[in-house]
Amino acid sequence: LENKLEKFSIKAPFDCVVTQSFLSKGSNVLMGQKLGQIIDNNNYEISTSLGISESELFGIGDKAILSSDDLEQSFSATINRKGNHINTLTQSIDFFFDVSNKNVKDGMFVKGEVFGKKILNVYKIPRNKLTKKNFVLLKDNNRVKEKEVKIVYFENDSVIISDLENKDCVIDNYRNYFYNGMEIN
Protein backbone atom coordinates (compact mmCIF):
# COMPACT_ATOMS: atom_id res chain seq x y z
CA LEU A 1 0.00 0.00 0.00
CA GLU A 2 2.86 2.40 0.79
CA ASN A 3 4.40 1.79 -2.68
CA LYS A 4 1.04 2.41 -4.29
CA LEU A 5 0.58 5.62 -2.23
CA GLU A 6 3.95 7.01 -3.41
CA LYS A 7 2.59 7.10 -6.98
CA PHE A 8 -0.11 9.61 -6.06
CA SER A 9 0.18 13.25 -5.08
CA ILE A 10 -2.33 16.07 -4.76
CA LYS A 11 -1.45 19.42 -6.28
CA ALA A 12 -3.43 22.65 -6.35
CA PRO A 13 -3.59 24.57 -9.65
CA PHE A 14 -2.13 27.64 -7.87
CA ASP A 15 0.30 28.55 -5.09
CA CYS A 16 -1.64 28.02 -1.90
CA VAL A 17 -1.63 27.62 1.84
CA VAL A 18 -3.29 24.78 3.74
CA THR A 19 -5.66 26.42 6.24
CA GLN A 20 -7.28 23.26 7.60
CA SER A 21 -6.39 19.60 7.53
CA PHE A 22 -9.05 17.04 8.36
CA LEU A 23 -6.67 14.06 8.49
CA SER A 24 -3.66 13.03 10.50
CA LYS A 25 -0.60 11.20 9.20
CA GLY A 26 -1.33 7.54 8.52
CA SER A 27 -5.12 7.91 8.41
CA ASN A 28 -7.20 5.97 5.95
CA VAL A 29 -9.01 8.07 3.36
CA LEU A 30 -12.44 7.16 2.07
CA MET A 31 -13.61 8.02 -1.42
CA GLY A 32 -15.23 11.49 -1.43
CA GLN A 33 -13.84 12.38 2.01
CA LYS A 34 -12.83 16.01 2.53
CA LEU A 35 -9.06 16.16 3.03
CA GLY A 36 -8.66 19.77 4.04
CA GLN A 37 -9.00 23.36 2.96
CA ILE A 38 -6.56 25.42 0.92
CA ILE A 39 -6.60 29.06 -0.13
CA ASP A 40 -4.88 31.08 -2.80
CA ASN A 41 -2.98 33.92 -1.13
CA ASN A 42 -3.34 36.26 -4.11
CA ASN A 43 -6.94 35.76 -5.21
CA TYR A 44 -9.87 35.79 -2.82
CA GLU A 45 -13.55 35.31 -3.28
CA ILE A 46 -15.92 37.32 -1.09
CA SER A 47 -19.57 36.38 -0.81
CA THR A 48 -22.57 38.44 0.14
CA SER A 49 -26.32 38.22 -0.20
CA LEU A 50 -28.77 40.61 -1.80
CA GLY A 51 -32.54 40.71 -1.62
CA ILE A 52 -34.50 39.33 -4.52
CA SER A 53 -35.55 42.75 -5.87
CA GLU A 54 -32.03 44.21 -5.50
CA SER A 55 -30.42 41.22 -7.22
CA GLU A 56 -31.98 42.25 -10.54
CA LEU A 57 -29.92 45.45 -10.47
CA PHE A 58 -26.55 43.62 -10.47
CA GLY A 59 -24.88 41.17 -12.81
CA ILE A 60 -21.65 39.35 -13.52
CA GLY A 61 -18.84 41.78 -14.28
CA ASP A 62 -20.19 44.65 -12.16
CA LYS A 63 -17.54 46.42 -10.10
CA ALA A 64 -17.39 47.14 -6.37
CA ILE A 65 -15.19 49.22 -4.11
CA LEU A 66 -14.47 47.46 -0.81
CA SER A 67 -12.84 48.68 2.38
CA SER A 68 -12.02 47.37 5.82
CA ASP A 69 -11.73 49.11 9.17
CA ASP A 70 -8.30 47.44 9.48
CA LEU A 71 -6.93 48.89 6.22
CA GLU A 72 -6.50 52.54 5.31
CA GLN A 73 -7.05 51.93 1.62
CA SER A 74 -9.94 50.67 -0.45
CA PHE A 75 -9.67 47.98 -3.11
CA SER A 76 -11.71 46.86 -6.08
CA ALA A 77 -13.67 43.68 -6.66
CA THR A 78 -15.71 42.22 -9.51
CA ILE A 79 -18.82 40.04 -9.41
CA ASN A 80 -17.77 36.73 -10.92
CA ARG A 81 -20.67 34.48 -9.88
CA LYS A 82 -24.32 34.94 -9.00
CA GLY A 83 -26.38 32.33 -7.20
CA ASN A 84 -29.29 30.93 -9.15
CA HIS A 85 -31.44 29.92 -6.20
CA ILE A 86 -33.03 31.74 -3.27
CA ASN A 87 -31.63 31.04 0.19
CA THR A 88 -34.73 29.91 2.11
CA LEU A 89 -33.44 31.22 5.45
CA THR A 90 -32.57 34.76 4.33
CA GLN A 91 -34.80 35.06 1.23
CA SER A 92 -31.80 36.43 -0.66
CA ILE A 93 -29.51 35.51 -3.54
CA ASP A 94 -25.76 34.94 -3.09
CA PHE A 95 -23.21 37.01 -5.01
CA PHE A 96 -19.48 36.21 -5.22
CA PHE A 97 -16.75 38.79 -5.83
CA ASP A 98 -13.18 38.24 -7.07
CA VAL A 99 -10.61 40.24 -5.09
CA SER A 100 -6.91 40.45 -5.91
CA ASN A 101 -5.12 42.55 -3.31
CA LYS A 102 -2.05 41.63 -1.27
CA ASN A 103 -3.46 43.38 1.84
CA VAL A 104 -6.62 41.27 1.98
CA LYS A 105 -6.43 38.31 4.35
CA ASP A 106 -8.57 35.22 4.84
CA GLY A 107 -11.42 35.81 7.28
CA MET A 108 -11.30 39.62 7.04
CA PHE A 109 -14.56 41.59 7.32
CA VAL A 110 -15.13 44.14 4.57
CA LYS A 111 -17.81 46.61 3.59
CA GLY A 112 -18.39 47.97 0.15
CA GLU A 113 -20.33 49.68 -2.55
CA VAL A 114 -21.43 47.85 -5.69
CA PHE A 115 -22.03 49.67 -8.97
CA GLY A 116 -24.88 47.99 -10.88
CA LYS A 117 -26.81 48.98 -13.95
CA LYS A 118 -27.97 52.56 -14.33
CA ILE A 119 -31.66 53.22 -13.95
CA LEU A 120 -32.98 56.37 -15.56
CA ASN A 121 -36.06 58.44 -14.71
CA VAL A 122 -36.46 57.28 -11.12
CA TYR A 123 -37.36 59.26 -8.02
CA LYS A 124 -36.64 58.78 -4.34
CA ILE A 125 -39.54 59.53 -2.02
CA PRO A 126 -40.25 58.75 1.65
CA ARG A 127 -41.74 55.29 2.06
CA ASN A 128 -44.79 56.64 3.91
CA LYS A 129 -45.90 58.49 0.73
CA LEU A 130 -46.98 55.16 -0.82
CA THR A 131 -50.64 54.21 -0.59
CA LYS A 132 -52.08 50.78 -1.46
CA LYS A 133 -48.51 49.42 -1.85
CA ASN A 134 -47.70 51.11 -5.16
CA PHE A 135 -49.73 54.31 -5.50
CA VAL A 136 -48.84 57.92 -4.69
CA LEU A 137 -51.11 60.92 -4.27
CA LEU A 138 -50.46 63.87 -6.59
CA LYS A 139 -51.79 67.43 -6.73
CA ASP A 140 -53.51 67.93 -10.06
CA ASN A 141 -55.51 71.16 -10.69
CA ASN A 142 -56.46 71.62 -7.02
CA ARG A 143 -57.55 67.98 -6.73
CA VAL A 144 -55.93 64.87 -5.29
CA LYS A 145 -55.04 62.41 -8.00
CA GLU A 146 -53.97 58.84 -7.28
CA LYS A 147 -51.27 57.47 -9.59
CA GLU A 148 -49.79 53.99 -9.82
CA VAL A 149 -45.99 53.81 -9.78
CA LYS A 150 -43.46 51.05 -10.26
CA ILE A 151 -41.31 50.28 -7.21
CA VAL A 152 -37.68 49.79 -8.20
CA TYR A 153 -36.00 49.47 -4.81
CA PHE A 154 -36.73 49.88 -1.09
CA GLU A 155 -34.02 51.71 0.86
CA ASN A 156 -34.58 52.00 4.63
CA ASP A 157 -37.24 54.74 5.04
CA SER A 158 -37.27 55.64 1.34
CA VAL A 159 -38.41 54.02 -1.84
CA ILE A 160 -37.11 54.49 -5.38
CA ILE A 161 -39.93 54.58 -7.92
CA SER A 162 -40.45 55.10 -11.63
CA ASP A 163 -43.45 56.06 -13.80
CA LEU A 164 -43.61 59.63 -12.47
CA GLU A 165 -43.14 62.62 -14.72
CA ASN A 166 -41.20 65.81 -13.94
CA LYS A 167 -44.41 67.85 -13.81
CA ASP A 168 -46.03 65.53 -11.20
CA CYS A 169 -46.36 67.07 -7.73
CA VAL A 170 -46.39 64.45 -4.96
CA ILE A 171 -48.41 65.57 -1.93
CA ASP A 172 -45.99 66.01 0.96
CA ASN A 173 -48.38 66.34 3.90
CA TYR A 174 -50.34 63.20 3.17
CA ARG A 175 -53.27 62.39 5.52
CA ASN A 176 -55.13 59.08 5.83
CA TYR A 177 -58.47 60.66 4.88
CA PHE A 178 -57.22 61.90 1.46
CA TYR A 179 -58.88 60.15 -1.46
CA ASN A 180 -58.74 60.23 -5.24
CA GLY A 181 -60.61 63.26 -6.60
CA MET A 182 -60.71 65.14 -3.29
CA GLU A 183 -60.65 68.91 -3.70
CA ILE A 184 -57.64 70.77 -2.24
CA ASN A 185 -58.01 74.31 -0.89
Side-chain angles (χ1 to χ4, degrees):
L1 288 174
E2 286 179 2
N3 288 337
K4 195 173 189 181
L5 181 63
E6 288 177 3
K7 295 179 183 178
F8 296 96
S9 63
I10 300 172
K11 293 184 179 184
F14 49 83
D15 290 337
C16 63
V17 174
V18 176
T19 57
Q20 289 181 330
S21 175
F22 302 122
L23 300 172
S24 57
K25 191 173 183 178
S27 297
N28 289 328
V29 178
L30 302 173
M31 185 169 62
Q33 182 177 355
K34 196 171 183 179
L35 303 177
Q37 182 174 331
I38 59 175
I39 60 169
D40 182 352
N41 277 341
N42 299 319
N43 297 306
Y44 286 100
E45 184 174 79
I46 295 175
S47 66
T48 191
S49 299
L50 293 173
I52 298 166
S53 60
E54 295 97 13
S55 69
E56 299 300 320
L57 302 174
F58 303 100
I60 294 173
D62 287 345
K63 303 288 183 195
I65 301 294
L66 305 176
S67 63
S68 171
D69 292 339
D70 300 324
L71 299 175
E72 293 184 15
Q73 66 181 22
S74 58
F75 44 94
S76 63
T78 306
I79 296 176
N80 72 335
R81 290 189 298 136
K82 179 179 178 180
N84 54 6
H85 74 282
I86 297 171
N87 183 329
T88 55
L89 295 175
T90 61
Q91 288 296 299
S92 59
I93 297 175
D94 294 329
F95 280 79
F96 301 91
F97 295 83
D98 270 342
V99 179
S100 295
N101 188 299
K102 63 181 179 174
N103 296 322
V104 176
K105 303 294 180 215
D106 184 40
M108 180 182 280
F109 285 99
V110 295
K111 56 186 170 187
E113 205 174 312
V114 184
F115 303 99
K117 66 179 181 180
K118 288 185 179 181
I119 303 170
L120 302 175
N121 301 322
V122 294
Y123 302 90
K124 183 176 181 178
I125 63 170
R127 208 173 198 172
N128 62 1
K129 300 294 180 233
L130 289 178
T131 63
K132 300 178 191 174
K133 287 190 175 179
N134 61 338
F135 283 86
V136 293
L137 296 178
L138 306 174
K139 179 183 179 231
D140 186 34
N141 295 330
N142 294 331
R143 293 212 175 265
V144 175
K145 178 182 175 187
E146 198 173 51
K147 183 171 185 177
E148 187 174 8
V149 294
K150 180 181 176 191
I151 296 171
V152 177
Y153 176 73
F154 284 105
E155 182 182 83
N156 300 326
D157 294 338
S158 301
V159 62
I160 297 175
I161 59 173
S162 63
D163 295 344
L164 278 183
E165 297 176 23
N166 281 337
K167 64 180 177 69
D168 288 340
C169 178
V170 176
I171 296 176
D172 189 37
N173 293 325
Y174 167 72
R175 302 285 185 252
N176 289 336
Y177 57 83
F178 285 8
Y179 58 90
N180 193 27
M182 179 179 171
E183 190 172 332
I184 300 173
N185 293 332

